[in-house]
Amino acid sequence: WHIQLHRDKKLENVQLKKLLLDKKVIGLWEAWVDKNGTPMKDPEFFKSRMSVGDVVLVRNTIEPIALVQIKSGFYLEKDVDLALDWFPLRRNIEIIGFYSEKEEKLLQSTLRKYQKRQIQALGTLTLCKGDTATYSFIKSWYDSVAK
């Protein structure tokens, strides 16, 4: 999976790291619609397709921030801080690692292999699978930490 954790206004990377370190959660709005008024499926995927143990790349548009692992089922949090952990639909996570120079080298190598300029960045929540640069990068990062 990959997810971005900002609402309408992009959060700074330092805010995203603080959110992950302090709250140890990722999440979404409970529901929203796209520009055509069609309900987005992301919240349903977050609830029904994401599983404990899944690995998620947290990103800020195309910039990787952290790799995390899901540690709980979904739940609704009523006490949110709109400036930081604004999302009521949540899952607890464990941080696998934060993006650094080492992961930058891995990312660039992966992008060259797939002849891409950046990781996939469409949507708020996306399942990553198959022979893609984004999936390959996430798997390679996870494998490098797991060793």
Side-chain angles (χ1 to χ4, degrees):
W1 295 95
H2 65 85
I3 191 169
Q4 57 184 21
L5 297 177
H6 59 79
R7 303 183 317 168
D8 300 331
K9 182 181 176 193
K10 185 176 168 181
L11 294 174
E12 297 296 323
N13 291 353
V14 69
Q15 290 175 289
L16 290 171
K17 289 178 182 177
K18 179 176 176 41
L19 185 157
L20 295 171
L21 285 168
D22 292 355
K23 302 294 183 168
K24 295 187 178 24
V25 295
I26 61 170
L28 307 164
W29 284 116
E30 292 178 75
W32 74 94
V33 297
D34 68 13
K35 60 184 176 186
N36 299 318
T38 305
M40 296 296 293
K41 294 183 179 183
D42 298 25
E44 187 54 39
F45 292 160
F46 189 83
K47 291 190 252 181
S48 65
R49 293 184 64 191
M50 188 176 275
S51 300
V52 172
D54 283 357
V55 174
V56 181
L57 172 66
V58 178
R59 61 185 172 75
N60 203 355
T61 61
I62 63 169
E63 185 177 358
I65 301 298
L67 201 61
V68 303
Q69 189 166 36
I70 301 300
K71 291 297 180 184
S72 76
F74 77 90
Y75 63 97
L76 291 174
E77 176 63 55
K78 294 185 189 315
D79 185 24
V80 300
D81 174 356
L82 292 178
L84 185 64
D85 63 330
W86 53 270
F87 43 84
L89 182 59
R90 298 178 175 207
R91 283 179 178 267
N92 295 327
I93 54 102
E94 177 181 313
I95 298 167
I96 296 170
F98 285 105
Y99 187 71
S100 69
E101 191 175 307
K102 177 182 168 192
E103 289 77 30
E104 173 66 19
K105 289 177 184 175
L106 181 60
L107 174 60
Q108 292 309 316
S109 171
T110 304
L111 293 174
R112 278 192 302 278
K113 176 181 173 187
Y114 285 86
Q115 299 178 354
K116 298 290 183 185
R117 294 176 54 201
Q118 63 193 34
I119 60 171
Q120 174 186 355
L122 297 174
T124 301
L125 177 69
T126 304
L127 178 61
C128 298
K129 62 181 180 177
D131 190 22
T132 66
T134 304
Y135 175 79
S136 181
F137 170 63
I138 293 169
K139 181 162 180 6
S140 296
W141 184 359
Y142 179 79
D143 289 347
S144 76
V145 173
K147 288 182 180 178

